[in-house]
Amino acid sequence: MVINGRLFLAILLCSLLAGCAQVYVPVSESKSPPSNLPSTFPPPETQAPPASPPVATESESAKRIEPTTSNTPVKGNSAVASLLDEAWRLSRAREYDRSNAVAERAMRIDHAEPEVYLVMATNYVAMTQLQLAEQLVRQGLPLAGQKPGVKAELQSLLTRIRSGY
């Protein structure tokens, strides 16, 4: 009876701990090994100024997605809002990998923020990785219930992905 009681407690404890574990969804497929990437970026004062982005043609600018909600603060977490602003800035500068890295940091802080999924999906569309983009849009849509602007942009992006962009 004592062994059965201990076994029961061990199973109960394991199941409770498993229920508390965080689940992360991988969202980037790195083609180079992560050991080649710097662990941190140099401080802003030592960074070289970014090169000016190439001028987009009229057809390219029509396909670009510009956020309408990036100026809307994320309620409850200023760190996430700051990271999202940085991710959108990098996305506009066409630094999609860096933008996704910043968005992934925001996702680790608040995985239920739908704008994180929007910025990452937008970057993957720009990099023509439509399957990853669609996966992120599908993850972000259920989270966007209280944010109609983000939800509308996710739905629009999903329509564009399904139509082959």
Side-chain angles (χ1 to χ4, degrees), residues 54-137:
V55 178
T57 64
E58 192 171 311
S59 63
E60 287 176 349
S61 60
K63 292 181 180 179
R64 287 207 33 92
I65 299 170
E66 293 297 328
T68 58
T69 58
S70 65
N71 295 330
T72 306
V74 177
K75 293 180 183 175
N77 199 328
S78 63
V80 173
S82 175
L83 288 168
L84 283 171
D85 286 342
E86 177 69 6
W88 281 120
R89 185 189 68 76
L90 289 167
S91 181
R92 284 189 300 272
R94 297 182 182 193
E95 296 184 41
Y96 304 120
D97 289 328
R98 286 185 61 199
S99 176
N100 279 344
V102 171
E104 285 173 1
R105 286 175 49 204
M107 183 184 283
R108 285 192 292 273
I109 296 170
D110 185 1
H111 69 276
E113 173 54 51
E115 192 172 345
V116 172
Y117 297 89
L118 176 62
V119 69
M120 292 179 73
T122 301
N123 290 333
Y124 282 122
V125 167
M127 293 187 292
T128 64
Q129 295 182 12
L130 300 182
Q131 288 181 333
L132 286 173
E134 184 174 354
Q135 177 185 0
L136 286 163
V137 169

Side-chain angles (χ1 to χ4, degrees), residues 2 23 32 53 58 90 120 126 137 139 141:
V2 174
V23 178
S32 62
E58 192 171 311
L90 289 167
M120 292 179 73
V137 169
Q139 290 173 356
L141 276 170

Side-chain angles (χ1 to χ4, degrees), residues 23-63:
V23 178
Y24 292 106
V25 178
V27 292
S28 63
E29 291 182 2
S30 177
K31 293 191 168 82
S32 62
S35 61
N36 294 345
L37 298 175
S39 60
T40 60
F41 293 105
E45 59 270 5
T46 63
Q47 280 185 331
S52 62
V55 178
T57 64
E58 192 171 311
S59 63
E60 287 176 349
S61 60
K63 292 181 180 179

